[in-house]
Amino acid sequence: GSGSRLSVVVALGANAMFPDPVAEASGHYIDGTPVAWYTELRAFDAATGEPTAWRFEPPPHRKPQAEGDSFPDHICLPDAWSNGAIDARGTYFVGHMSGNIFALRDIDGDGTLNMDEASGEVTSYYGGRCYQGSPAIAPGMLVAAPCDGMHVFLGE
């Protein structure tokens, strides 16, 4: 939140693999393992390295490949998370292999993220394609580049 101590946000989770039509249709790989990519973002106190209460876990991604990847000519193979960017208000913008770009901000300053959509602390935009690079921030603008395009958001 505003005025809080500095934190370092770390993205955790395994990266998706190549498309696997059989696993996508059945929900399981050939060895019986469920198709589910669990990821999270965690904040750590920049001075001490201790974890803070700020964390975000999106729903598991349930496809073998990142969103939008398909054979033969749409393969991106991104990391689970793009690099993130933080604006002057403390909003953390980050792309995810699910095709969502997330905006995360501790609006009430309690050190946690309220997952209730009405709180406004966690919002997302589904672009339909995984994200590779870092979002870019300029006054009144956010630009996010999925693997084969660009999304430009204009705001305040």
Side-chain angles (χ1 to χ4, degrees):
S2 179
S4 297
R5 295 181 66 179
L6 291 178
S7 297
V8 175
V9 177
V10 177
L12 304 167
N15 302 332
M17 299 188 298
F18 281 101
D20 181 335
V22 173
E24 186 170 351
S26 70
H28 290 84
Y29 292 104
I30 197 164
D31 67 358
T33 305
V35 175
W37 299 102
Y38 294 90
T39 58
E40 70 176 306
L41 298 170
R42 297 281 315 263
F44 295 84
D45 184 283
T48 67
E50 294 296 318
T52 69
W54 190 100
R55 69 185 306 161
F56 173 64
E57 295 179 50
H61 182 62
R62 302 251 180 220
K63 293 182 180 179
Q65 71 279 356
E67 192 68 22
D69 274 6
S70 63
F71 285 128
D73 57 357
H74 285 97
I75 301 294
C76 181
L77 294 177
D79 293 333
W81 296 98
S82 72
N83 294 318
I86 302 173
D87 73 5
R89 296 183 309 166
T91 304
Y92 184 75
F93 298 96
V94 63
H96 188 252
M97 69 173 140
S98 63
N100 289 293
I101 184 163
F102 294 100
L104 311 167
R105 182 162 51 116
D106 180 16
I107 294 171
D108 62 14
D110 69 354
T112 65
L113 290 172
N114 183 339
M115 300 305 179
D116 179 14
E117 189 174 318
S119 75
E121 291 194 346
V122 176
T123 59
S124 66
Y125 171 79
Y126 176 72
R129 191 75 167 104
C130 49
Y131 290 85
Q132 186 76 310
S134 176
I137 300 171
M141 183 183 301
L142 173 75
V143 179
C147 286
D148 60 356
M150 182 183 308
H151 300 294
V152 178
F153 303 91
L154 302 175
E156 317 163 8

